mmCIF file of all heavy atoms in Angstrom:
data_model
loop_
_atom_site.group_PDB
_atom_site.id
_atom_site.type_symbol
_atom_site.label_atom_id
_atom_site.label_comp_id
_atom_site.label_asym_id
_atom_site.label_seq_id
_atom_site.Cartn_x
_atom_site.Cartn_y
_atom_site.Cartn_z
ATOM 1 N N ASN E 33 13.846 -30.991 13.306
ATOM 2 C CA ASN E 33 15.041 -30.801 14.057
ATOM 3 C C ASN E 33 15.732 -29.460 13.744
ATOM 4 O O ASN E 33 16.834 -29.164 14.031
ATOM 5 C CB ASN E 33 16.010 -31.917 13.735
ATOM 6 C CG ASN E 33 16.419 -32.024 12.265
ATOM 7 O OD1 ASN E 33 15.981 -31.272 11.425
ATOM 8 N ND2 ASN E 33 17.200 -33.055 11.929
ATOM 9 N N ARG E 34 14.930 -28.563 13.125
ATOM 10 C CA ARG E 34 15.353 -27.126 12.957
ATOM 11 C C ARG E 34 14.091 -26.317 13.296
ATOM 12 O O ARG E 34 12.962 -26.635 12.987
ATOM 13 C CB ARG E 34 15.714 -26.828 11.517
ATOM 14 C CG ARG E 34 16.929 -27.667 10.994
ATOM 15 C CD ARG E 34 18.224 -27.352 11.656
ATOM 16 N NE ARG E 34 19.299 -28.030 10.962
ATOM 17 C CZ ARG E 34 19.752 -29.265 11.307
ATOM 18 N NH1 ARG E 34 19.165 -30.004 12.263
ATOM 19 N NH2 ARG E 34 20.775 -29.806 10.634
ATOM 20 N N ALA E 288 11.240 -30.396 2.489
ATOM 21 C CA ALA E 288 12.725 -30.633 2.659
ATOM 22 C C ALA E 288 13.035 -30.645 4.165
ATOM 23 O O ALA E 288 13.846 -31.555 4.543
ATOM 24 C CB ALA E 288 13.506 -29.532 1.997
ATOM 25 N N LEU E 289 12.458 -29.855 5.028
ATOM 26 C CA LEU E 289 12.761 -29.879 6.394
ATOM 27 C C LEU E 289 12.227 -31.131 7.027
ATOM 28 O O LEU E 289 12.921 -31.730 7.949
ATOM 29 C CB LEU E 289 12.183 -28.689 7.095
ATOM 30 C CG LEU E 289 12.778 -27.295 6.743
ATOM 31 C CD1 LEU E 289 11.963 -26.210 7.288
ATOM 32 C CD2 LEU E 289 14.144 -27.305 7.362
ATOM 33 N N VAL E 290 11.159 -31.736 6.564
ATOM 34 C CA VAL E 290 10.704 -33.015 7.057
ATOM 35 C C VAL E 290 11.714 -34.073 6.713
ATOM 36 O O VAL E 290 12.119 -34.916 7.498
ATOM 37 C CB VAL E 290 9.324 -33.431 6.453
ATOM 38 C CG1 VAL E 290 8.996 -34.873 6.740
ATOM 39 C CG2 VAL E 290 8.231 -32.487 7.048
ATOM 40 N N ALA E 291 12.196 -34.035 5.431
ATOM 41 C CA ALA E 291 13.193 -35.001 5.024
ATOM 42 C C ALA E 291 14.522 -34.846 5.837
ATOM 43 O O ALA E 291 15.154 -35.945 6.278
ATOM 44 C CB ALA E 291 13.553 -34.797 3.521
ATOM 45 N N LEU E 292 14.952 -33.653 6.178
ATOM 46 C CA LEU E 292 16.128 -33.512 6.954
ATOM 47 C C LEU E 292 15.914 -34.050 8.398
ATOM 48 O O LEU E 292 16.838 -34.686 8.981
ATOM 49 C CB LEU E 292 16.468 -32.013 7.080
ATOM 50 C CG LEU E 292 17.803 -31.655 7.786
ATOM 51 C CD1 LEU E 292 18.960 -32.230 6.942
ATOM 52 C CD2 LEU E 292 17.918 -30.117 7.887
ATOM 53 N N SER E 293 14.703 -33.871 8.935
ATOM 54 C CA SER E 293 14.432 -34.417 10.281
ATOM 55 C C SER E 293 14.407 -35.989 10.282
ATOM 56 O O SER E 293 14.676 -36.592 11.303
ATOM 57 C CB SER E 293 13.055 -33.915 10.768
ATOM 58 O OG SER E 293 13.069 -32.479 10.833
ATOM 59 N N GLU E 294 14.098 -36.484 9.104
ATOM 60 C CA GLU E 294 14.104 -38.005 9.025
ATOM 61 C C GLU E 294 15.356 -38.563 8.463
ATOM 62 O O GLU E 294 15.402 -39.715 8.059
ATOM 63 C CB GLU E 294 12.907 -38.391 8.149
ATOM 64 C CG GLU E 294 11.519 -37.987 8.773
ATOM 65 C CD GLU E 294 10.329 -38.282 7.827
ATOM 66 O OE1 GLU E 294 10.564 -38.613 6.663
ATOM 67 O OE2 GLU E 294 9.188 -38.188 8.348
ATOM 68 N N ASP E 295 16.406 -37.742 8.422
ATOM 69 C CA ASP E 295 17.756 -38.151 8.043
ATOM 70 C C ASP E 295 17.734 -38.589 6.608
ATOM 71 O O ASP E 295 18.497 -39.523 6.220
ATOM 72 C CB ASP E 295 18.280 -39.248 8.932
ATOM 73 C CG ASP E 295 19.776 -39.387 8.839
ATOM 74 O OD1 ASP E 295 20.405 -38.395 8.568
ATOM 75 O OD2 ASP E 295 20.317 -40.529 9.066
ATOM 76 N N ARG E 296 16.958 -37.948 5.799
ATOM 77 C CA ARG E 296 16.896 -38.194 4.284
ATOM 78 C C ARG E 296 17.578 -37.044 3.597
ATOM 79 O O ARG E 296 16.923 -36.274 2.968
ATOM 80 C CB ARG E 296 15.434 -38.406 3.843
ATOM 81 C CG ARG E 296 14.829 -39.675 4.327
ATOM 82 C CD ARG E 296 13.485 -39.911 3.738
ATOM 83 N NE ARG E 296 12.417 -39.029 4.313
ATOM 84 C CZ ARG E 296 11.754 -38.089 3.633
ATOM 85 N NH1 ARG E 296 11.942 -37.995 2.290
ATOM 86 N NH2 ARG E 296 10.790 -37.411 4.148
ATOM 87 N N ARG E 297 18.895 -36.955 3.776
ATOM 88 C CA ARG E 297 19.585 -35.806 3.265
ATOM 89 C C ARG E 297 19.508 -35.675 1.733
ATOM 90 O O ARG E 297 19.501 -34.604 1.176
ATOM 91 C CB ARG E 297 21.051 -35.871 3.717
ATOM 92 C CG ARG E 297 21.977 -34.754 3.138
ATOM 93 C CD ARG E 297 21.481 -33.415 3.665
ATOM 94 N NE ARG E 297 22.185 -32.321 2.986
ATOM 95 C CZ ARG E 297 23.373 -31.823 3.386
ATOM 96 N NH1 ARG E 297 24.004 -32.274 4.455
ATOM 97 N NH2 ARG E 297 23.901 -30.788 2.714
ATOM 98 N N ASP E 298 19.512 -36.806 1.051
ATOM 99 C CA ASP E 298 19.422 -36.760 -0.429
ATOM 100 C C ASP E 298 18.106 -36.103 -0.836
ATOM 101 O O ASP E 298 18.069 -35.345 -1.798
ATOM 102 C CB ASP E 298 19.524 -38.149 -1.018
ATOM 103 C CG ASP E 298 20.961 -38.751 -0.957
ATOM 104 O OD1 ASP E 298 21.869 -37.889 -0.652
ATOM 105 O OD2 ASP E 298 21.155 -39.921 -1.217
ATOM 106 N N ASP E 299 17.019 -36.448 -0.160
ATOM 107 C CA ASP E 299 15.751 -35.853 -0.505
ATOM 108 C C ASP E 299 15.693 -34.374 -0.201
ATOM 109 O O ASP E 299 15.209 -33.557 -0.859
ATOM 110 C CB ASP E 299 14.607 -36.609 0.258
ATOM 111 C CG ASP E 299 14.324 -37.984 -0.297
ATOM 112 O OD1 ASP E 299 14.635 -38.248 -1.469
ATOM 113 O OD2 ASP E 299 13.740 -38.797 0.376
ATOM 114 N N TYR E 300 16.296 -34.001 0.934
ATOM 115 C CA TYR E 300 16.436 -32.585 1.386
ATOM 116 C C TYR E 300 17.164 -31.862 0.294
ATOM 117 O O TYR E 300 16.660 -30.765 -0.233
ATOM 118 C CB TYR E 300 17.190 -32.555 2.679
ATOM 119 C CG TYR E 300 17.608 -31.134 3.148
ATOM 120 C CD1 TYR E 300 16.679 -30.338 3.803
ATOM 121 C CD2 TYR E 300 18.823 -30.644 2.848
ATOM 122 C CE1 TYR E 300 16.985 -29.088 4.208
ATOM 123 C CE2 TYR E 300 19.252 -29.355 3.236
ATOM 124 C CZ TYR E 300 18.333 -28.570 3.931
ATOM 125 O OH TYR E 300 18.710 -27.324 4.314
#
Side-chain angles (χ1 to χ4, degrees):
N33 60 4
R34 302 290 188 271
L289 289 170
V290 169
L292 187 65
S293 297
E294 295 175 350
D295 200 27
R296 294 186 283 117
R297 178 61 190 272
D298 288 347
D299 288 338
Y300 171 84

